[in-house]
Amino acid sequence: MLRIFKFRVGNRLYSVKAAKKDAIKYTDTINLPKTKFPNRLTAAKREEQERLVLEKKIAVSYAYQEQRLAEKGKPTFVLHDGPPYANGELHMGHAVNKILKDITLRQRVAHGQQVNYIPGWDCHGLPIELKATSTAQNQSAQEIRKKSRAFALDAIRSQKEEFSSWGILANWQKDNIYMTFQPEFIVNQLQMFYNLYEKGLVYRDLKPVYWSPSSKTALAEAELEYDANHISPSVYVRFAISPSSFDIKDKQIYALVWTTTPWTLPSNQAICYNASLEYVLVRLSDRNQDELYLMASALMADFEANTQLKCEIVQHLNGESLSKLSYNHPIDKEQANLPFFEASHVQDSKGTGLVHTAPAHGPEDFLVSLTQKIHVKCFVNEEGTYTKEAPDFLRGQSVLDQGNSLVLERIAEDVVHSSKLEHSYPIDWRTKKPVIIRASEQWFINTEKLKSPAADALEQVEIYPRANADASKKALLTQLQKRPYWCISRQRAWGVPIPVLYSRDSGKVVLNSTLIEHLCNLLRQEGSIDFWWVKSVEELVPANLLRELRCEAKDLVKGTDILDIWFDSGSTWSAVLGKDKIADLYLEGYDQFTGWFQSSLLMSIAARECAPYKALFVHGFTVDEKGYKMSKSLGNVISPKQITKKYGTDALRWWVASHGTQHMSITVSDKLLQQAAENLGKVRGTLRYLKGVIGEKQSAEKLIPTSDKSYLNRYLLSELVEFESEVEKLYNAYEYNRVVAYVQNFIANQVSAVYVHLIKDRLYCGDDQEILAIRQTLSHCYQQLCKSLWPIVPFLVEESWSYYDTTYAAFHEQIVRTKPEWRDNKATEAINAAFGVKRLINQQAGDVNSWHLAVTIKGKESGQLDLLRELHRPLGEAFSNSELCEILQVGSVTLSQSNNDDLAIALSTLQTSLCPRCRRYGLGDEQKTCQRCSNVMNAKN
């Protein structure tokens, strides 16, 4: 009905119909989760939060665990840090390596074990020296060393700061790190050098080594890369055999050899053959028919295919008969009657079965020279150019640039066939330019004496990931076995000097223990080894030591070589851990099979006859989403700083854990990083919800005991026992990707989809005792999740924990363990039986609100029915207030017996209104809320 009221301002219409009373709201009576822990952080807030966690929690965590866990009785877990290079900014490979190490350490601490981890840096080497000398040429050794040290220190400062920002567990506050240019580190290294020298494992000799003309230094195998598309000449060259060697008149006979390094022909001193092969003398089509050529019969077809020259066999020869042959040098005509030598390295897999032998330019050639006592001729200097001892047309020419063409031009009439060969060729890993093999006086470690004990020691070493263990061990053994010797001297200024004096006249090594000890004392006094380049022999060696050496200062010269940086890093176990300690783990990329894994093993075997590690963890290398290696030239580089700024440090760590352990190619892409951030957001949401439910941490004396008969609570506690055990097992196997997947699955299923979903009615609307039991159950769940997540995402866990533990204690101060008595098979079986029924109900129920359903379940006694009765005591009676009703999310359940083995499920719809407060129980005629809700609200009032 409308009525009109007249006012001076105009007319208005008003309804006089009675207003409907507002529905009663029960929101304030419901126990909703409450927390100040934010659901998400802005980039600025996240950066500030990470800074606070670093300063207040993570910075002190290493020192805390050292003190707290030292008396627990467990042996300390030692992870020895493979030193990153003090050269430039950190990249994604550094992130993978350091974060995997940190996860490994943190999981040990989370399980109550003390850890030993001292970060280190490799500070010497050519790349640093090149950067230090790039601004000026012809600098003194002292100037180079000063600039190199400054460059390395600056790189270490920058890298250390970024490592710390990732939350890496180490004693950064006390700067407890190692650097390979620290005085005590070098003292240890000098002493180790002398000890190995005394054992005869370190020696000086003239040998062919990989030599880099671009760097002017010898290189070890680990300092090589390989250019798969290198082009070399492929040349068949003839060597005129001495006429007296064959009883064949009027014929000139030639030995036919194949080479890809014509520049080495001036140094030829022999031809090698295999006595077990058959050889043939052949005529070549389109060649002088009075010329005969010697080659292995098994390689004749290959020769014909490569040269298009047909061969006509004139005579078969036994390989052993070649020992009587001799030949004339193809370049130096004055050298006649040069020898043929039998050698096992000659095979019938390629070439001609006859191998040109230049002892200065090949390891096998050199071994032949040792056996046959041939003088080694080397016509190539440190710059890779021919010396004045070389033939006059080659002097001063680069062997790599002009050597091949000049030699081939000179011996053109003896070149039977010439073409090009694309093949894999060693290059200097720093300058990216080709290397050569060149004989020079160098220092070596005798790996032949070490290979067998090293291989035996490796058999006792565990290798992870398990899936690649056999392949990884085989790769390491292969690299070990194929190493003929280890050249440990380098011709540079930035490094540790080889502490040796030489006789000025004879070149003989002058060295004893007193000299080494004197140099070590000088090093401690001076604070650096620079004095080796500054002081003269007179200043360096006191008179009493000269008398002991039986020399005068004027008769001695200092060595100018430095130690290979792999000798530096290979000795870190001794300098950092102590001479007797063995690391539990070395964790590095697979490239260290030829590097640190091997050099450390050889040094430890040489010094103390055991491996330096009990286990190896081998990870891969980062690539972009197309599988390409990251490089500035390709423009596909993503730096860790970019990732932490955009997504946060924990997202970087989550990505490493998810992808860094199972593949040798670790893909970095915005898609995967975004996915990591999203998954982390879901984990954060779960921790936030749990925190809202359980409130603040209660001290032991404030905890109220509950007579908890809830099977759901018992089920979750039992699941937590299994969860803790499985997580620890996966962590100990270094399967961090599976830890991530397992934790996510546990959160999504057992925690969220099962427990949290099913107890919501009890949590929101139940009585104080029920809520308290839920809170205490979820407290244990929250703590276990924090324990499982802390090794991977410590920033998130510490932030969340700060809202839970108001005493400001950090998570690393906690000891979180499940109790064996929580394992409850009866509860697990009963809940799983209920889940089976729930699946059947969901298949039949359709779109009906399940709280309107009445369920009848018939089953055989002593079967599934008995398990369901644990959750729903009445038999043959409809009942709505049971845990089975709660789990099935239905209005009522009736259990009854039948003779059938299978359960029979029948559904019907309850015609009643649901309680406006809990939306679960039906109402009587005039009830405002169900009886349960009324009782709860009355108790609170």
Side-chain angles (χ1 to χ4, degrees):
M1 180 175 66
L2 296 176
R3 289 183 181 178
I4 300 176
F5 294 88
K6 187 174 287 187
F7 292 91
R8 284 179 300 170
V9 293
N11 296 334
R12 291 189 180 182
L13 302 180
Y14 291 87
S15 170
V16 293
K17 185 176 180 180
K20 188 176 181 180
K21 290 184 178 180
D22 291 339
I24 299 174
K25 294 183 178 180
Y26 296 98
T27 306
D28 293 341
T29 72
I30 294 175
N31 178 48
L32 293 173
K34 297 181 181 66
T35 180
K36 293 181 180 179
F37 179 40
N39 195 36
R40 61 179 60 87
L41 298 173
T42 64
K45 186 65 178 174
R46 184 182 63 234
E47 186 176 343
E48 174 64 13
Q49 180 63 43
E50 287 185 359
R51 185 185 64 78
L52 289 173
V53 169
L54 272 175
E55 290 177 359
K56 296 182 178 180
K57 306 290 177 67
I58 292 178
V60 298
S61 57
Y62 186 88
Y64 183 90
Q65 66 87 26
E66 270 190 314
Q67 297 160 7
R68 183 192 72 169
L69 300 177
E71 301 173 0
K72 295 297 180 182
K74 280 187 178 181
T76 300
F77 179 82
V78 180
L79 196 166
H80 182 41
D81 192 34
Y85 205 55
N87 180 28
E89 294 184 357
L90 298 181
H91 51 68
M92 290 302 290
H94 290 108
V96 169
N97 181 262
K98 273 296 190 286
I99 290 171
L100 286 178
K101 287 175 180 174
D102 192 59
I103 293 171
T104 301
L105 294 166
R106 286 179 179 276
Q107 77 91 7
R108 296 280 176 173
V109 173
H111 288 87
Q113 186 173 11
Q114 183 183 358
V115 299
N116 175 295
Y117 175 70
I118 301 173
W121 274 268
D122 212 339
C123 307
H124 294 129
L126 183 60
I128 293 174
E129 182 173 334
L130 290 177
K131 289 191 176 182
T133 58
S134 61
T135 55
Q137 301 299 316
N138 301 319
Q139 299 177 71
S140 68
Q142 185 65 359
E143 290 172 322
I144 292 171
R145 293 182 62 80
K146 181 179 179 181
K147 290 182 179 179
S148 297
R149 184 178 291 106
F151 179 88
L153 283 170
D154 188 58
I156 291 169
R157 178 197 55 74
S158 173
Q159 291 184 7
K160 184 171 60 176
E161 187 177 300
E162 193 167 355
F163 285 148
S164 176
S165 75
W166 297 344
I168 305 304
L169 189 68
N171 202 338
W172 302 111
Q173 286 188 319
K174 290 188 176 179
D175 215 18
N176 187 17
I177 63 174
Y178 76 88
M179 297 175 285
T180 58
F181 57 24
Q182 289 170 322
E184 281 306 316
F185 188 97
I186 297 176
V187 164
N188 181 79
Q189 203 171 338
L190 298 182
Q191 291 171 342
M192 182 170 284
F193 172 86
Y194 182 73
N195 290 338
L196 299 187
Y197 174 79
E198 280 289 281
K199 289 182 176 183
L201 294 172
V202 164
Y203 62 97
R204 183 170 171 81
D205 203 353
L206 173 70
K207 284 188 178 182
V209 294
Y210 286 111
W211 186 272
S212 172
S214 55
S215 298
K216 300 182 184 64
T217 185
L219 297 178
E221 179 74 39
E223 295 170 300
L224 301 177
E225 291 180 354
Y226 285 85
D227 177 4
N229 306 118
H230 184 81
I231 303 296
S232 293
S234 174
V235 185
Y236 288 93
V237 179
R238 66 185 190 183
F239 290 64
I241 294 178
S242 303
S244 59
S245 297
F246 281 98
D247 188 20
I248 301 178
K249 295 181 179 180
D250 303 324
K251 304 292 183 186
Q252 176 60 59
I253 302 175
Y254 296 95
L256 197 60
V257 304
W258 175 71
T259 183
T260 58
T261 56
W263 65 266
T264 65
L265 287 172
S267 300
N268 172 270
Q269 292 177 256
I271 291 176
C272 286
Y273 64 93
N274 189 325
S276 64
L277 296 181
E278 180 191 58
Y279 289 82
V280 288
L281 287 176
V282 301
R283 287 193 184 91
L284 300 181
S285 61
D286 302 327
R287 287 276 175 169
N288 188 327
Q289 297 302 292
D290 290 332
E291 297 172 351
L292 300 180
Y293 294 84
L294 178 67
M295 70 176 78
S297 60
L299 288 161
M300 189 175 71
D302 283 348
F303 172 78
E304 289 179 326
N306 291 334
T307 65
Q308 305 304 308
L309 294 170
K310 296 299 180 182
C311 298
E312 176 192 347
I313 297 177
V314 174
Q315 184 176 335
H316 292 267
L317 298 170
N318 187 308
E320 293 178 352
S321 65
L322 272 60
S323 64
K324 301 175 183 178
L325 303 183
S326 62
Y327 70 98
N328 299 328
H329 199 284
I331 296 174
D332 185 357
K333 301 304 182 182
E334 294 184 4
Q335 292 190 64
N337 298 317
L338 294 173
F340 279 67
F341 291 130
E342 199 278 331
S344 60
H345 71 271
V346 180
Q347 299 294 322
D348 59 1
S349 56
K350 60 182 178 181
T352 64
L354 298 172
V355 175
H356 141 62
T357 301
H361 302 297
E364 293 92 353
D365 304 36
F366 180 76
L367 293 176
V368 169
S369 75
L370 291 180
T371 303
Q372 302 297 337
K373 297 181 172 52
I374 317 173
H375 176 66
V376 177
K377 293 181 180 179
C378 184
F379 299 145
V380 181
N381 65 16
E382 296 179 356
E383 296 180 347
T385 58
Y386 287 107
T387 64
K388 62 182 180 180
E389 286 77 25
D392 56 2
F393 71 97
L394 293 174
R395 293 170 189 168
Q397 302 295 326
S398 165
V399 299
L400 289 174
D401 294 335
Q402 296 90 22
N404 287 327
S405 58
L406 288 172
V407 169
L408 291 176
E409 183 180 333
R410 175 57 64 100
I411 63 168
E413 65 178 13
D414 290 320
V415 175
V416 176
H417 181 80
S418 179
S419 60
K420 300 292 184 184
L421 176 69
E422 183 176 322
H423 65 134
S424 179
Y425 189 89
I427 59 174
D428 186 327
W429 70 332
R430 296 300 181 186
T431 65
K432 309 301 181 186
K433 293 185 178 180
V435 302
I436 60 175
I437 293 178
R438 170 183 175 268
S440 63
E441 289 276 354
Q442 301 290 341
W443 284 91
F444 298 90
I445 285 183
N446 188 339
T447 54
E448 285 302 318
K449 287 186 178 180
L450 303 176
K451 285 179 183 180
S452 180
D456 291 342
L458 272 181
E459 291 303 322
Q460 308 304 316
V461 174
E462 296 286 336
I463 300 187
Y464 301 90
R466 294 279 193 196
N468 302 325
D470 290 342
S472 295
K473 186 165 286 189
K474 184 178 179 181
L476 187 50
L477 283 168
T478 300
Q479 292 295 334
L480 182 69
Q481 295 298 343
K482 73 184 229 183
R483 190 171 202 161
Y485 38 77
W486 177 8
C487 176
I488 60 169
S489 50
R490 297 292 181 270
Q491 290 66 49
R492 309 301 306 183
W494 179 230
V496 177
I498 294 180
V500 171
L501 302 172
Y502 300 96
S503 166
R504 187 181 296 276
D505 294 331
S506 67
K508 183 181 177 182
V509 172
V510 177
L511 181 62
N512 68 8
S513 60
T514 309
L515 174 61
I516 293 295
E517 192 55 40
H518 172 66
L519 294 176
C520 289
N521 289 333
L522 268 179
L523 175 54
R524 293 185 182 102
Q525 294 167 19
E526 299 271 346
S528 84
I529 197 73
D530 291 357
F531 64 81
W532 182 263
W533 284 268
V534 177
K535 293 180 182 291
S536 65
V537 173
E538 287 82 359
E539 296 170 309
L540 195 64
V541 186
N544 63 318
L545 182 51
L546 286 171
R547 286 194 294 273
E548 186 175 330
L549 294 171
R550 297 178 182 178
C551 296
E552 293 185 28
K554 63 181 179 61
D555 299 326
L556 300 174
V557 293
K558 290 181 296 182
T560 57
D561 293 342
I562 63 168
L563 285 164
D564 174 21
I565 58 169
W566 293 108
F567 192 99
D568 285 15
S569 61
S571 67
T572 56
W573 56 267
S574 176
V576 180
L577 303 180
K579 291 179 172 55
D580 298 325
K581 189 172 287 186
I582 297 173
D584 290 284
L585 185 69
Y586 276 30
L587 190 161
E588 303 298 332
Y590 64 77
D591 62 325
Q592 297 308 318
F593 286 141
T594 58
W596 194 54
F597 291 158
Q598 190 177 148
S599 64
S600 298
L601 175 65
L602 290 171
M603 296 279 284
S604 184
I605 292 292
R608 54 181 185 170
E609 299 179 353
C610 67
Y613 36 69
K614 297 175 185 175
L616 296 175
F617 183 102
V618 186
H619 65 75
F621 279 77
T622 55
V623 297
D624 67 14
E625 54 194 347
K626 294 180 180 178
Y628 294 119
K629 184 179 178 181
M630 292 192 160
S631 68
K632 291 180 180 179
S633 59
L634 291 176
N636 61 351
V637 173
I638 301 176
S639 76
K641 284 183 179 178
Q642 290 174 287
I643 295 169
T644 55
K645 187 174 182 62
K646 185 175 181 180
Y647 300 109
T649 302
D650 275 340
L652 173 65
R653 294 176 64 100
W654 188 271
W655 168 82
V656 170
S658 301
H659 303 282
T661 61
Q662 68 271 44
H663 301 299
M664 289 300 100
S665 292
I666 307 169
T667 303
V668 186
S669 70
D670 283 323
K671 180 181 178 181
L672 290 177
L673 291 164
Q674 179 66 39
Q675 187 181 78
E678 290 172 359
N679 289 337
L680 198 54
K682 293 175 183 177
V683 171
R684 184 186 185 91
T686 298
L687 295 181
R688 182 175 185 271
Y689 181 85
L690 297 180
K691 173 65 192 68
V693 170
I694 61 184
E696 295 176 358
K697 182 182 181 182
Q698 300 297 309
S699 60
E701 58 270 15
K702 288 184 179 179
L703 286 176
I704 301 172
T706 62
S707 55
D708 191 0
K709 297 179 181 179
S710 164
Y711 273 77
L712 274 172
N713 291 352
R714 289 160 57 186
Y715 167 79
L716 183 59
L717 290 176
S718 185
E719 289 292 294
L720 286 176
V721 177
E722 178 63 27
F723 174 76
E724 181 184 54
S725 174
E726 183 65 16
V727 166
E728 184 170 9
K729 183 174 77 174
L730 293 174
Y731 267 128
N732 287 337
Y734 307 101
E735 296 179 357
Y736 302 147
N737 59 310
R738 293 185 63 192
V739 172
V740 169
Y742 186 72
V743 171
Q744 284 181 292
N745 183 68
F746 185 78
I747 289 173
N749 293 293
Q750 281 89 336
V751 178
S752 298
V754 175
Y755 184 80
V756 167
H757 175 64
L758 296 180
I759 54 86
K760 275 185 179 176
D761 168 71
R762 208 190 317 166
L763 172 65
Y764 294 171
C765 302
D767 61 37
D768 288 346
Q769 197 69 10
E770 288 175 324
I771 292 170
L772 180 59
I774 289 171
R775 282 177 172 165
Q776 291 186 0
T777 302
L778 284 180
S779 290
H780 296 307
C781 179
Y782 173 75
Q783 291 172 15
Q784 278 298 324
L785 288 178
C786 287
K787 178 181 177 181
S788 68
L789 290 165
W790 184 70
I792 297 172
V793 285
F795 290 92
L796 172 60
V797 171
E798 294 288 7
E799 181 195 355
S800 171
W801 194 265
S802 68
Y803 287 88
Y804 173 61
D805 190 338
T806 55
T807 66
Y808 301 105
F811 181 79
H812 68 254
E813 299 175 28
Q814 314 306 312
I815 298 176
V816 176
R817 294 191 183 96
T818 60
K819 297 179 180 179
E821 58 265 30
W822 290 355
R823 192 179 293 279
D824 193 330
N825 294 332
K826 187 176 181 181
T828 300
E829 290 173 0
I831 296 296
N832 285 333
F835 290 162
V837 173
K838 187 173 177 63
R839 282 190 290 271
L840 295 174
I841 293 173
N842 290 340
Q843 292 169 10
Q844 299 179 37
D847 296 331
V848 178
N849 182 345
S850 64
W851 292 112
H852 282 294
L853 293 177
V855 181
T856 300
I857 305 170
K858 293 183 179 181
K860 193 174 183 179
E861 195 174 6
S862 76
Q864 292 289 90
L865 192 67
D866 277 0
L867 292 173
L868 296 177
R869 286 197 65 190
E870 296 291 332
L871 306 168
H872 187 94
R873 286 296 176 187
L875 194 63
E877 177 185 348
F879 197 71
S880 60
N881 189 19
S882 72
E883 199 163 9
L884 183 58
C885 293
E886 181 182 36
I887 295 168
L888 301 181
Q889 306 271 283
V890 297
S892 73
V893 172
T894 303
L895 295 180
S896 59
Q897 293 182 9
S898 73
N899 294 323
N900 295 326
D901 290 333
D902 295 331
L903 292 175
I905 311 294
L907 306 181
S908 61
T909 304
L910 297 169
Q911 301 301 321
T912 182
S913 299
L914 296 180
C915 171
R917 180 174 181 266
C918 67
R919 304 287 201 277
R920 170 180 175 179
Y921 292 110
L923 299 175
D925 290 340
E926 296 184 2
Q927 279 183 294
K928 292 180 180 179
T929 59
C930 66
Q931 191 61 49
R932 190 272 305 261
C933 287
S934 297
N935 293 340
V936 169
M937 289 190 293
N938 290 336
K940 289 183 177 179
N941 293 331

